[in-house]
Amino acid sequence: SKLFGMEGLNQEDFYFVVGELFTLALQYNGLSHICSPLVDANRANRDLVTALAKFSREYFIPRFCGSSDGVLETYDRDRLLKAAERNRNTGARSWLWMTCNELAYWQVSPGRTGLRPTQLNQKYFEDQCKYVFPDADPPVVHPDVNAFNEKYGGLNQKNVTRVVYTTGSQDPWTWTCITNDDQVGDDCYVHTIKGPEVGHCSDLHAPNEADPIDLKRTQAYIRQ
């Protein structure tokens, strides 16, 4: 973990962040930042782990981890996630609470062919929830996803009107999104924004001249 700039992170959470190195770069419009150095290293017969560790230190941690004082604020269960200090960014802790209690969204290892280590199984996420929220009342046991979907409708939103549902063609979360008109009620807008590097929440960013044309058109339609 020291090679990756994650010294001090416990071994279980280090396995989790290794998987995040790949998925967050794709999710947030940074696919070229991870692919290019790995492809270059492979072509030059250099060590791929060293290239991945360099990507971790120089791109992933500064952009995604909110690192300060050696603490990886997004992932460090011991020094941040378990703490309830209001003077720090607690977005990661809030998201973890939702996944532990309602959403799950646990990205477990798919096996030997996956990019996530096999140590990332359901028990890892259950143990993390219990560790970070030991005093929860009622206790954090297992997210009741079925009850959550039944209450809010899941992917069936036909009783909802006047809502915009968008996702991006490069967003790995698209499979959890509303993507068809027959899933929603009247006066709703459903659209998958197409283009290179159109990832998670691209439509919520400030407009940029370099944006793909479909993203520009979608943002203009939303504003209208």
Side-chain angles (χ1 to χ4, degrees):
S1 59
K2 182 178 181 180
L3 178 65
F4 283 73
M6 302 176 193
E7 191 172 14
L9 202 64
N10 70 52
Q11 191 67 28
E12 292 77 12
D13 293 336
F14 173 70
Y15 289 139
F16 179 62
V17 182
V18 167
E20 296 284 272
L21 294 178
F22 299 98
T23 55
L24 283 195
L26 167 64
Q27 182 172 320
Y28 288 107
N29 309 331
L31 189 59
S32 61
H33 289 278
I34 186 170
C35 288
S36 295
L38 292 179
V39 170
D40 290 344
N42 186 57
R43 288 174 175 170
N45 202 27
R46 297 195 304 269
D47 182 59
L48 291 175
V49 173
T50 300
L52 184 63
K54 185 174 186 291
F55 163 80
S56 173
R57 296 190 307 270
E58 298 182 2
Y59 181 84
F60 180 85
I61 290 177
R63 180 169 181 184
F64 296 119
C65 295
S67 180
S68 63
D69 303 324
V71 178
L72 302 181
E73 295 196 349
T74 307
Y75 299 101
D76 197 322
R77 73 168 71 178
D78 295 297
R79 290 178 289 178
L80 179 79
L81 290 177
K82 195 171 182 179
E85 303 170 5
R86 296 189 178 184
N87 62 334
R88 304 187 71 170
N89 182 358
T90 57
R93 177 178 166 88
S94 299
W95 171 249
L96 184 63
W97 173 262
M98 288 190 289
T99 59
C100 288
N101 286 275
E102 299 174 329
L103 304 176
Y105 281 178
W106 293 343
Q107 299 168 61
V108 300
S109 170
R112 294 179 60 187
T113 59
L115 295 175
R116 291 184 178 272
T118 56
Q119 292 87 345
L120 293 180
N121 51 31
Q122 186 166 299
K123 185 177 184 301
Y124 162 79
F125 290 99
E126 290 175 339
D127 290 346
Q128 183 189 41
C129 291
K130 294 174 184 176
Y131 182 84
V132 174
F133 305 110
D135 302 320
D137 185 20
V140 175
V141 178
H142 192 85
D144 193 342
V145 176
N146 290 332
F148 182 83
N149 285 337
E150 184 176 348
K151 180 177 181 179
Y152 293 105
L155 293 177
N156 180 3
Q157 298 293 316
K158 293 182 179 179
N159 294 326
V160 176
T161 60
R162 299 180 59 79
V163 173
V164 172
Y165 297 91
T166 56
T167 185
S169 58
Q170 302 299 313
D171 187 353
W173 285 107
T174 294
W175 64 274
T176 69
C177 296
I178 299 289
T179 55
N180 297 307
D181 291 330
D182 59 5
Q183 295 174 271
V184 301
D186 297 334
D187 300 321
C188 290
Y189 177 66
V190 180
H191 183 62
T192 298
I193 307 168
K194 297 176 177 61
E197 301 281 20
V198 178
H200 199 58
C201 300
S202 293
D203 53 320
L204 302 181
H205 296 170
N208 188 299
E209 271 301 311
D211 288 340
I213 186 62
D214 193 28
L215 177 56
K216 292 179 180 179
R217 289 172 176 168
T218 302
Q219 286 182 321
Y221 182 82
I222 292 172
R223 287 193 298 271
Q224 181 185 19

